[in-house]
Amino acid sequence: MKRIKLLSISLAVAAGGLAAVSEDVISQMNAWMSANNHNRIIQIQNEGGVRDATDTVEISFYSNSSFKVTSPRGVSMLVDPWRNDPSGAWGLWYRMEFPMTEVDIGLSTHAHFDHDALDRLDANMLLDRMAGTFELGDVKITGIADKHVCVAPGIIPWTDAVKQFEGRDDPCPPTNLRHLDNNLYVIETGGMRLLMWGDNRATPPAEVMEKIGQVDVVFVPVDGSRHILDYEQADNVVKMTGAKVAIPHHYLVPETTFVTSTLMPAQEWAERHPHTILDGPTVQLSAAGIADMKSHVMYFGSHNMVSGGG
């Protein structure tokens, strides 16, 4: 393995003139070592999927802001796998490494450690902060470029820490650094439109909301500490998008995440709405099944795929 790493470093230096290559970069360069191949993708490309269509879209919670979405024809997508901060500046958040997960498409909304561990995915393709449109099989993904929340609305003033980390007084748009960009994803499959909000600001410009349009399911970053969105902002996101179902994320899951993350559970927010407390890490949704719902919150709580299924 040491020889492989040294070879990877040598090739990277020769190709790009790099002076040094981090362990993270090395791990991301190891796609060539995967035992998988494009046969599955070729099948989806030719046949529209890898199975006959089911009646539902499967959503599995991988803790924090990470979800796996599987289309009716079996195309799988995993959004925002997490890792501990490699710089150490933000402390130890996670009790374990994100499990190596096989998936057709990996996606990351933005360049923060709790959303960008794409190297932990055995993915046939990666959409990293994508803007534009991607289609494969029975899935269409639209990426919309916008901005991360830059003013902490809750009990922990992490904006002040960002100022110290960056060494400047104003981290906000339009002069923000790249890590405070965010890409929203609208995933269309199974007759539904699912919106991955990521850590986006609470009130995007009108042209962004126009590109999003009305959605059926919205994934909302809200927790008891109001780390990304406060309760009013989260409510407004659900209202603006016209979502029938809202799924909280970016909250404390004690089985995977330390309290040093400063996060808290999201059950209080969930219980302010018509809600379902889910009894496992996976839920099956259909267009017909949610047709009569309005702003209905489905809360995974501690049930997740990483710590043994909850």
XYZ file of all heavy atoms in Angstrom, residues 251-294:
338
model
N -28.962 17.522 12.180
C -29.256 17.545 13.615
C -28.431 16.468 14.311
O -27.800 15.623 13.669
C -30.756 17.346 13.861
C -31.326 16.044 13.349
C -31.224 14.858 14.099
C -31.994 15.977 12.123
C -31.756 13.665 13.638
C -32.532 14.785 11.654
C -32.410 13.632 12.417
O -32.937 12.451 11.957
N -28.445 16.499 15.637
C -27.632 15.567 16.416
C -28.209 14.155 16.378
O -29.362 13.936 16.726
C -27.540 16.033 17.870
C -26.716 15.122 18.796
C -25.232 15.181 18.422
C -26.918 15.504 20.260
N -27.375 13.218 15.957
C -27.667 11.790 16.073
C -26.605 11.235 17.029
O -25.458 11.020 16.620
C -27.606 11.082 14.707
C -27.833 9.580 14.866
C -28.636 11.679 13.749
N -26.937 11.046 18.311
C -25.904 10.685 19.302
C -25.148 9.413 18.964
O -23.991 9.252 19.365
C -26.713 10.520 20.593
C -27.944 11.337 20.396
C -28.259 11.220 18.933
N -25.783 8.506 18.237
C -25.121 7.252 17.885
C -23.959 7.446 16.919
O -23.073 6.590 16.817
C -26.132 6.279 17.267
C -27.166 5.748 18.241
C -28.296 6.730 18.538
O -28.324 7.834 17.948
O -29.159 6.388 19.360
N -23.941 8.541 16.174
C -22.867 8.787 15.208
C -22.094 10.071 15.473
O -20.967 10.212 15.001
C -23.436 8.882 13.771
O -24.317 10.012 13.688
C -24.190 7.623 13.388
N -22.686 11.002 16.212
C -22.162 12.369 16.269
C -21.987 12.828 17.712
O -22.901 12.687 18.531
C -23.121 13.330 15.538
O -23.420 12.801 14.243
C -22.502 14.702 15.386
N -20.821 13.399 18.015
C -20.550 13.908 19.355
C -21.257 15.244 19.592
O -21.526 15.992 18.644
C -19.043 14.119 19.557
C -18.247 12.850 19.602
C -17.335 12.552 18.600
C -18.395 11.945 20.648
C -16.587 11.386 18.642
C -17.650 10.771 20.702
C -16.749 10.487 19.696
N -21.498 15.549 20.879
C -22.117 16.834 21.214
C -21.177 17.995 20.926
O -21.605 19.151 20.874
C -22.572 16.878 22.685
C -23.691 15.882 22.924
C -21.402 16.616 23.634
N -19.893 17.708 20.701
C -18.954 18.767 20.313
C -19.324 19.391 18.969
O -18.839 20.471 18.630
C -17.516 18.219 20.222
O -17.515 17.010 19.466
C -16.968 17.945 21.607
N -20.199 18.738 18.224
C -20.703 19.329 16.983
C -21.577 20.547 17.256
O -21.841 21.331 16.337
C -21.529 18.290 16.213
O -22.713 17.959 16.936
N -22.031 20.676 18.516
C -22.949 21.734 18.982
C -24.367 21.550 18.441
O -25.227 22.388 18.681
C -22.473 23.171 18.662
O -22.646 23.463 17.263
C -21.025 23.378 19.058
N -24.623 20.464 17.729
C -25.957 20.204 17.211
C -26.866 19.652 18.308
O -26.405 19.130 19.322
C -25.895 19.212 16.052
C -25.051 19.613 14.848
C -25.006 18.483 13.827
C -25.587 20.887 14.208
N -28.162 19.736 18.072
C -29.178 19.178 18.949
C -30.196 18.435 18.089
O -30.238 18.622 16.874
C -29.857 20.293 19.754
C -28.916 21.023 20.711
S -29.681 22.485 21.484
C -31.042 21.729 22.364
N -31.021 17.580 18.687
C -32.050 16.888 17.897
C -33.028 17.867 17.253
O -33.090 19.044 17.604
C -32.749 16.002 18.933
C -31.742 15.812 20.017
C -30.984 17.102 20.082
N -33.816 17.346 16.303
C -34.799 18.178 15.588
C -36.234 17.785 15.911
O -37.165 18.250 15.260
C -34.562 18.066 14.079
N -36.425 16.962 16.943
C -37.767 16.474 17.235
C -38.716 17.600 17.624
O -39.895 17.578 17.253
C -37.735 15.406 18.334
C -39.107 14.778 18.580
C -39.022 13.413 19.221
O -37.990 12.756 19.187
N -40.118 12.957 19.816
N -38.214 18.591 18.349
C -39.074 19.711 18.746
C -39.650 20.414 17.525
O -40.847 20.728 17.474
C -38.287 20.705 19.600
C -39.104 21.889 20.077
C -38.273 22.876 20.872
O -37.305 23.439 20.304
O -38.580 23.092 22.059
N -38.801 20.657 16.509
C -39.301 21.292 15.284
C -40.291 20.382 14.578
O -41.341 20.838 14.113
C -38.150 21.637 14.347
C -38.607 22.309 13.084
C -38.975 23.612 12.932
C -38.782 21.696 11.795
N -39.354 23.855 11.625
C -39.247 22.700 10.908
C -38.583 20.412 11.310
C -39.512 22.447 9.567
C -38.846 20.157 9.966
C -39.303 21.162 9.112
N -39.989 19.097 14.515
C -40.890 18.156 13.855
C -42.267 18.174 14.493
O -43.295 18.166 13.796
C -40.303 16.745 13.901
N -42.310 18.230 15.824
C -43.585 18.147 16.534
C -44.402 19.425 16.463
O -45.557 19.436 16.902
C -43.326 17.750 17.984
C -42.821 16.311 18.118
C -42.468 15.911 19.535
O -42.361 16.826 20.405
O -42.298 14.695 19.785
N -43.835 20.476 15.898
C -44.597 21.710 15.670
C -45.472 21.608 14.424
O -46.207 22.535 14.105
C -43.632 22.892 15.524
C -42.910 23.276 16.808
C -41.650 24.093 16.516
N -41.922 25.297 15.757
C -41.988 26.528 16.270
N -41.819 26.697 17.579
N -42.216 27.570 15.505
N -45.365 20.508 13.685
C -46.064 20.325 12.419
C -46.802 18.987 12.434
O -46.525 18.125 13.268
C -45.052 20.318 11.259
C -44.172 21.521 11.210
N -43.065 21.657 12.027
C -44.243 22.647 10.459
C -42.483 22.831 11.770
N -43.174 23.443 10.825
N -47.719 18.793 11.479
C -48.188 17.420 11.268
C -46.958 16.556 10.990
O -46.114 16.933 10.171
C -49.079 17.532 10.029
C -49.475 18.968 9.962
C -48.331 19.745 10.515
N -46.816 15.435 11.686
C -45.544 14.731 11.576
C -45.703 13.237 11.753
O -46.690 12.745 12.299
C -44.547 15.270 12.611
C -44.948 14.980 14.032
N -45.826 15.781 14.717
C -44.601 13.971 14.889
C -46.013 15.297 15.936
N -45.285 14.197 16.066
N -44.665 12.537 11.272
C -44.507 11.106 11.479
C -43.112 10.872 12.033
O -42.131 11.321 11.425
C -44.666 10.323 10.167
O -45.974 10.562 9.625
C -44.474 8.826 10.396
N -43.032 10.211 13.194
C -41.735 9.795 13.721
C -41.455 8.416 13.125
O -42.133 7.437 13.446
C -41.746 9.731 15.265
C -42.195 11.082 15.859
C -40.357 9.349 15.776
C -41.306 12.253 15.517
N -40.502 8.350 12.224
C -40.225 7.110 11.503
C -39.622 6.064 12.438
O -38.911 6.398 13.395
C -39.307 7.395 10.324
C -39.891 8.367 9.285
C -38.818 8.794 8.281
C -41.083 7.747 8.561
N -39.886 4.791 12.150
C -39.448 3.712 13.037
C -38.257 2.938 12.485
O -37.945 1.848 12.938
C -40.605 2.763 13.331
C -41.192 2.115 12.079
O -40.656 2.360 10.979
O -42.179 1.370 12.200
N -37.593 3.490 11.483
C -36.419 2.858 10.912
C -35.641 3.842 10.075
O -36.051 4.993 9.906
N -34.490 3.436 9.523
C -33.631 4.345 8.775
C -34.029 4.544 7.320
O -33.383 5.301 6.602
C -32.265 3.677 8.865
C -32.584 2.219 8.920
C -33.854 2.112 9.721
N -35.099 3.856 6.885
C -35.511 3.911 5.478
C -37.009 4.131 5.387
O -37.775 3.597 6.191
C -35.128 2.603 4.759
O -33.706 2.482 4.737
C -35.625 2.586 3.326
N -37.424 4.945 4.410
C -38.839 5.159 4.158
C -39.093 5.067 2.656
O -38.238 5.444 1.850
C -39.314 6.518 4.718
C -38.647 7.694 3.995
C -40.828 6.658 4.673
N -40.246 4.526 2.302
C -40.663 4.425 0.907
C -41.727 5.484 0.644
O -42.750 5.525 1.345
C -41.246 3.041 0.610
C -40.348 1.872 0.985
C -39.253 1.614 -0.020
O -39.295 2.111 -1.150
N -38.256 0.838 0.363
N -41.512 6.342 -0.356
C -42.472 7.387 -0.680
C -42.954 7.225 -2.116
O -42.183 6.847 -2.999
C -41.851 8.775 -0.523
C -41.368 9.185 0.872
C -40.837 10.613 0.843
C -42.473 9.042 1.906
N -44.234 7.532 -2.321
C -44.794 7.523 -3.673
C -45.576 8.807 -3.884
O -46.072 9.420 -2.928
C -45.709 6.317 -3.871
O -46.890 6.438 -3.091
N -45.718 9.199 -5.147
C -46.479 10.405 -5.467
C -47.912 10.282 -4.967
O -48.471 11.225 -4.392
C -46.442 10.653 -6.975
N -48.516 9.110 -5.157
C -49.895 8.910 -4.705
C -49.989 8.920 -3.184
O -50.946 9.462 -2.602
C -50.437 7.593 -5.257
N -48.985 8.353 -2.523
C -49.021 8.236 -1.072
C -48.904 9.555 -0.331
O -49.371 9.668 0.807
N -48.258 10.544 -0.950
C -48.095 11.837 -0.273
C -48.961 12.927 -0.889
O -48.873 14.091 -0.484
C -46.616 12.282 -0.272
C -46.144 12.619 -1.693
C -45.727 11.236 0.378
C -44.759 13.249 -1.737
N -49.817 12.557 -1.844
C -50.580 13.545 -2.608
C -51.417 14.473 -1.742
O -51.574 15.658 -2.042
C -51.475 12.835 -3.629
N -51.975 13.950 -0.648
C -52.867 14.748 0.198
C -52.153 15.393 1.380
O -52.800 16.014 2.233
C -54.013 13.872 0.711
C -54.909 13.377 -0.412
O -55.029 14.093 -1.426
O -55.473 12.269 -0.288
N -50.838 15.257 1.451
C -50.095 15.842 2.560
C -49.743 17.297 2.269
O -49.658 17.716 1.110
C -48.813 15.047 2.832
C -49.056 13.642 3.333
S -47.506 12.770 3.703
C -48.141 11.203 4.280
N -49.521 18.063 3.334
C -49.092 19.447 3.205
C -48.173 19.772 4.381
O -48.600 19.714 5.532
C -50.281 20.404 3.192
C -49.891 21.866 3.008
C -51.105 22.775 2.970
C -50.687 24.227 2.784
N -51.875 25.144 2.763
